[in-house]
Amino acid sequence: MMRSFIPFGDPWKLEIQVPYSLLVSDRELSWTCGQVPLDGASNVLAPNDLLGQTRVVCDHIEAILGKNGIPLSAIGKLVLYYVQREADDAARMMACCRERFGTRPVLVPIAVPYFYYDGMLIEADAFGGAADGATYEHSRDGALVKIVDAGELSWVGLTIDPARMTEGIALLQSALADFGIAPDQRLAEHWMAPQGNAGRLADTLWQARLISDKGSLVESADPAARLVGELTYVRGRTAKVERETRDIGNVRVVSRRSGRFVWLSGRSLDPELGLVPQTTKLMEALAEALAAEDMDFNSVVKSTSHYVGGSTADELYENMMVRNGYYQRPGPASTGLPVFRLADQNSRIAVDFLALGDPTVCNNANTST
């Protein structure tokens, strides 16, 4: 399958023009931007109703995948950012997603303090891949791990009781071995820790070689949350991941490459800079890191930005405008939203993206304005 894009505008859009796509597909893999409960006029639908908004977001995902002829059975992972108001919000939200998409996808719930539109309670990323790949799920000692084979990649979701980290890490290691994945095949990672425990848990993950940059760990808005891991591994017995962590200026950059896949993650280390200046320095460093991989921003298919800021759309747009300047339409599937804080509290924003080589497969056949 050639690389294709579904542009912004239908079934929903933001209040500003953005150089991003609702969906990017490449071969069997697909990535949506963060799907939100908005309509075509940027109005929040089902305001302050988490389940109602979850259904709206599921409708958006189904509609967008349908435009590209992708079956719902191809969905292998959903990352669910949500504002928690009741103790059972995550369970009810995930049950709603399972009702719509079945039990196959990895579900990754992440509590955030608020969103950038009043009354908005959820934002969801959907990841598609080979629909017939194997799955694995096991729970033990207060931990749960699920793995989905998406073809070229495998997606892993993990939740661990913070008081039982040793047992949870052992469960992950056992699950990967059972699924035929080597620890050094990890391409990408996001970790979310309960409020107040980020430093200790980041140290434990570092010692287990499960995190490349301790300061990038996201601290959840929920102090009672479990540790959540969203991990991506390359497939194939001989597949290896080359990795490097370096500072470009005052920006910490993690680079990983395997075959045609490159994952880059960065955050500013300068405590004197505010959100927008940190975003500027960060994007400059990531541009340099992309160039070192013989790539540019046209190679990026999925971008994720976690920033520490307020609950207004203006704060989103201010740092988004910096990021927007590096892309041309149709652009990647992009997600950006406020989080409680990062483990390194000197950092106001962390950005990562997945870039793909082999530009000969790229076209814009499905783009429009």
Side-chain angles (χ1 to χ4, degrees):
M1 179 179 182
M2 304 286 283
R3 190 171 305 172
S4 59
F5 309 82
I6 300 294
F8 258 81
D10 181 27
W12 65 272
K13 65 180 180 180
L14 296 172
E15 294 174 333
I16 63 172
Q17 294 294 314
V18 293
Y20 303 122
S21 298
L22 290 173
L23 177 79
V24 179
S25 297
D26 188 286
R27 301 182 187 175
E28 288 188 297
L29 297 170
S30 296
W31 304 263
T32 72
C33 71
Q35 296 299 304
V36 294
L38 301 180
D39 63 15
S42 306
N43 298 309
V44 175
L45 301 174
N48 296 307
D49 178 357
L50 179 60
L51 285 188
Q53 292 187 359
T54 302
R55 296 186 186 100
V56 170
V57 165
C58 290
D59 288 343
H60 288 347
I61 292 171
E62 184 171 355
I64 291 165
L65 294 181
K67 287 184 177 184
N68 229 25
I70 299 171
L72 296 185
S73 58
I75 297 176
K77 180 173 67 174
L78 294 169
V79 179
L80 305 167
Y81 301 96
Y82 71 103
V83 177
Q84 179 166 311
R85 295 182 167 186
E86 303 292 339
D88 63 346
D89 276 351
R92 295 189 302 125
M93 173 185 65
M94 291 191 292
C96 183
C97 292
R98 291 190 185 101
E99 182 179 338
R100 179 66 68 91
F101 302 123
T103 59
R104 174 178 171 78
V106 171
L107 301 183
V108 183
I110 302 171
V112 298
Y114 35 68
F115 285 102
Y116 36 83
Y117 287 133
D118 289 341
M120 180 172 148
L121 300 178
I122 185 173
E123 182 166 348
D125 284 338
F127 298 75
D132 56 353
T135 64
Y136 177 104
E137 184 170 350
H138 191 56
S139 60
R140 188 179 68 220
D141 299 325
L144 171 68
V145 62
K146 181 160 186 175
I147 306 175
V148 171
D149 178 4
E152 293 179 274
L153 302 174
S154 284
W155 293 313
V156 179
L158 175 69
T159 58
I160 300 177
D161 179 347
R164 308 187 70 178
M165 288 291 291
T166 300
E167 294 89 342
I169 291 171
L171 177 64
L172 173 62
Q173 292 169 338
S174 174
L176 293 174
D178 289 347
F179 208 73
I181 298 174
D184 62 1
Q185 291 179 312
R186 190 176 77 254
L187 178 70
E189 70 214 23
H190 292 123
W191 288 100
M192 287 64 63
Q195 184 178 323
N197 286 282
R200 175 180 66 85
L201 297 177
D203 286 340
T204 302
L205 293 171
W206 176 264
Q207 292 166 7
R209 298 184 178 181
L210 287 171
I211 192 169
S212 299
D213 176 15
K214 293 189 293 183
S216 67
L217 181 144
V218 171
E219 199 165 345
S220 168
D222 179 9
R226 291 176 175 252
L227 177 71
V228 176
E230 177 207 347
L231 312 175
T232 301
Y233 290 80
V234 294
R235 296 293 288 153
R237 293 186 180 276
T238 62
K240 300 297 180 185
V241 176
E242 299 174 1
R243 62 195 67 204
E244 179 185 17
T245 300
R246 60 189 173 121
D247 291 347
I248 300 176
N250 211 7
V251 174
R252 178 70 41 83
V253 176
V254 175
S255 304
R256 293 209 184 106
R257 171 186 278 278
S258 180
R260 71 191 191 106
F261 298 101
V262 170
W263 184 73
L264 297 174
S265 173
R267 61 182 179 88
S268 172
L269 306 176
D270 191 341
E272 302 300 320
L273 298 180
L275 175 58
V276 173
Q278 281 202 4
T279 305
T280 300
K281 295 297 184 182
L282 172 55
M283 293 302 290
E284 291 172 353
L286 289 175
E288 182 176 330
L290 267 177
E293 300 287 348
D294 293 325
M295 291 181 165
D296 59 25
F297 283 90
N298 291 320
S299 305
V300 178
V301 294
K302 177 63 181 177
S303 174
T304 303
S305 302
H306 295 144
Y307 67 90
V308 182
S311 59
T312 68
D314 286 344
E315 291 194 61
L316 168 68
Y317 296 156
E318 285 174 356
N319 79 79
M320 180 184 277
M321 292 301 291
V322 176
R323 294 183 276 120
N324 291 359
Y326 285 83
Y327 297 101
Q328 296 179 340
R329 291 185 180 181
S334 177
T335 298
L337 72 163
V339 296
F340 179 69
R341 64 188 172 202
L342 301 174
D344 182 350
Q345 295 180 32
N346 290 328
S347 297
R348 304 282 296 173
I349 184 170
V351 175
D352 66 79
F353 41 67
L354 181 66
L356 301 188
D358 192 10
T360 60
V361 304
C362 297
N363 72 10
N364 298 340
N366 288 359
T367 63
S368 63
T369 57

